[in-house]
Structure formats: C-alpha cells, structure tokens
Amino acid sequence: MDHNLALVLGGGGAAGNAWAIGIVAGLAEAGLDLTETADLVIGTSSGATAAAQVRSGIPAAELLAAIVSAPVRPAGQHGPGGPGGPGARGAQNQNRPPSLPAETVFARMRAISAAATSAAELQRAMGAFGLESDAVLAPGAAQRRALVASRLPHPEWPERPMIVAALNAHTGELTAFDRDSGVELVDAVTASTALPGMAPTHDINGTHYINGGVRSTENADLATGYANVLVLTPLTRRSQTPPPPGQFEGLRRLPGADLDSQVETLRRQGSRVEVITPDADSVAAMGTDQMDLATRAPSARAGYAQGRREAARLTF
C-alpha cells in the first residue's frame, strides 16, 4: 500500500464532535499526534467539521481548550443545523431558521428506514425527503451556511489530504469532496451536515446535497488503500442502547453500509484497522441528546481522558 495512516471521523452531533476532538487531543498528549501523522482525514457530518479542525494546523491541545473554555449553555439548548453540529430543535425565535417538528422528522426517518430494501434505496428516499423538506427549510439555507463557516478555523481547504462525505440528494449517491473538487470547504461541510428534515439540502452549482451520515456514519471505506486506518465513531456504541422517548435511534444500516462491514472489507484488503468508540465515561458525558450544546465541554474532557488511555494500544 502506498499510504500509511487514514483518520476517519464519524458523525455524532455537538457531543460527538467535541468527543472526537478530545480523543485527538488525548492521543496527542500521549505521543500520537494525528494532526501531524495522519496522511488522510475523512469526515462525515459532525466529523466533517472535526476533520477541518484537525487539519487546520492548530495544535490539538488548543482545539480542546477552545471547547472546554467556551461559555456553558443551558442544558437542552440547541443550535441550528443537524448532527453536523448542534441540532435544530431548540425554542424558535426570530434569529433561528425555520424547522420541522422533531417528532415529525423522526417518524418519517423511521418509515423510510423500515421500508428500504437496500442501502441505495434508503439513500434515495432520504434525498427525496430532504428535497421535499426544502419547502419549509430552504429560507434558512444562507444562515446555516454562515453558521457552518463560523465553526471552521480556516475557510480554505488544507494542503494535506482531507475528504468530506456527502450524498447527492437527487440520486442518493456518495460524493467525496476534497480540495480538487472545485467546491469551497464551507460548502462541502455544509453539505455533509445537512440532515434531511433538520436542515435544508445544500445547493452547490445546482446540485443539492444531504448529510453523508445517511449512507454511513463513518464512510470508512473511503480509506481504501491505506495501510493503517483509525476510526473515531461517536455513535456506534451509543446506538447499542435504545434512546429515551423522543430521541431518534438512527437509520437502519443495511448490509455493506454498517461500520463492521466496512472494517471487514478494509482488513481483507490488507489494512490494519482500529476503532475507538465512546467508553462508559464518554457515553455518560455525551448524555441522551448528542445535539445538546451543554454536552460539548464534558464530552471533550471525557474524550481527552479516553484518548490518553487508548494510546497505549495504538502503534501507528
């Protein structure tokens, strides 16, 4: 294999983004600085924002400090968006973009997930749902793009390889954006974080895109060809426990679209793959609502502690 190490950052909302940055900072403190050693960084949904942060040139310790030192927001407060960052379920006011009732969105996602007979069918149906939801959500598109831009350390693509995963809303097909795509970084990340029903589809040159997590929370198969692959996935372990009432349990993963299948394929191709999921302390810190801004600081701290412990088993 020509490449050494790919870092895959899965989606997981505000809590998941903070946890991933905490893991990266903890690993760096223990001697494995992925901001320097990763040859490729792949980001999906909130992991796309984390990827831009990891590739920014800002030391991991500073990325962590920015999260834990941010003003504490009241529990239950959400920001606009989808799981690419804070969610769109907070109380409405004149400064918030339009949104759909969470219960309505979750019910539609469950119905799409239950009816799909293949991953491709699920992706097309979710794309159609996103385009349909634009009738209500599209007026907030410019505001949402500006919010995503405010989360990025730099507006330009990094020099070192980075991929942002999104789906074509018209076809359901995967799009892997990079610096050679001719698309601005903020547009790629906005597309990757546009969860149907929660955020408007993102229009790039007439093509609309939705959250890359609809296909796969991680899209780890984009690391094909790398000798070593490290996957940070905020949601995989959390999804093993049913959420409380009112929380979405996630889309059904059909064969080939789940992380286990992707990891197995990578290993068959000769890659060494390590997966880090939230440990018990991190799960507790992330709470029951990964969109909640109040979870960011505790999730980052728990991720940092976990990262320091995980470093002992990683020898990249």
Side-chain angles (χ1 to χ4, degrees):
M1 293 185 174
D2 296 330
H3 308 290
N4 185 32
L5 175 59
L7 172 64
V8 177
L9 300 172
N17 171 276
W19 173 81
I21 294 301
I23 290 284
V24 170
L27 292 174
E29 177 70 19
L32 177 58
D33 189 351
L34 295 168
T35 68
E36 298 290 338
T37 59
D39 299 294
L40 171 68
V41 179
I42 299 166
T44 299
S45 193
S46 69
T49 305
Q53 293 164 337
V54 169
R55 275 296 197 228
S56 66
I58 298 172
E62 291 184 23
L63 294 173
L64 174 66
I67 296 174
V68 300
S69 65
V72 177
R73 299 179 184 239
Q77 184 172 346
H78 304 80
R89 292 183 281 150
Q92 295 297 303
N93 61 44
Q94 62 182 357
N95 295 318
R96 291 186 181 276
S99 64
L100 296 172
E103 293 76 10
T104 300
V105 175
F106 293 166
R108 183 66 177 275
M109 288 184 181
R110 291 186 182 105
I112 290 171
S113 185
T117 58
S118 69
E121 181 181 340
L122 185 150
Q123 291 161 208
R124 287 193 298 270
M126 286 292 288
F129 175 41
L131 293 168
E132 173 191 324
S133 300
D134 281 349
V136 174
L137 302 178
Q143 182 179 351
R144 187 170 183 280
R145 184 183 186 276
L147 177 65
V148 172
S150 72
R151 297 185 183 129
L152 303 180
H154 304 297
E156 301 85 11
W157 283 93
E159 291 293 331
R160 301 181 67 193
M162 184 177 91
I163 291 174
V164 172
L167 295 188
N168 183 314
H170 309 280
T171 66
E173 295 176 341
L174 175 68
T175 298
F177 292 111
D178 61 19
R179 64 175 292 111
D180 297 322
S181 298
V183 171
E184 291 187 27
L185 176 60
V186 63
D187 287 307
V189 176
T190 305
S192 184
T193 59
L195 185 66
M198 291 291 193
T201 64
H202 191 58
D203 183 355
I204 303 176
N205 300 322
T207 300
H208 291 250
Y209 295 89
I210 61 171
N211 194 300
V214 168
R215 175 184 185 262
S216 164
T217 308
E218 300 82 18
N219 291 295
D221 52 334
L222 292 175
T224 296
Y226 281 77
N228 300 284
V229 180
L230 175 60
V231 181
L232 308 186
T233 178
L235 292 182
T236 295
R237 177 169 176 176
R238 287 165 56 81
S239 65
Q240 295 173 0
T241 302
Q247 293 294 310
F248 182 55
E249 65 271 20
L251 293 170
R252 181 166 58 103
R253 295 301 176 191
L254 288 96
D258 61 293
L259 179 59
D260 287 344
S261 297
Q262 294 180 356
V263 168
E264 181 182 352
T265 298
L266 287 169
R267 287 173 174 162
R268 283 202 308 264
Q269 295 170 348
S271 298
R272 175 192 170 193
V273 184
E274 297 287 350
V275 178
I276 297 179
T277 62
D279 61 13
D281 289 341
S282 294
V283 169
M286 294 166 78
T288 59
D289 182 358
Q290 73 269 20
M291 308 281 197
D292 192 339
L293 297 178
T295 64
R296 285 183 57 75
S299 297
R301 293 190 186 97
Y304 171 74
Q306 183 181 352
R308 293 190 64 180
R309 292 191 295 270
E310 296 280 2
R313 71 180 178 89
L314 301 177
T315 57
F316 297 131

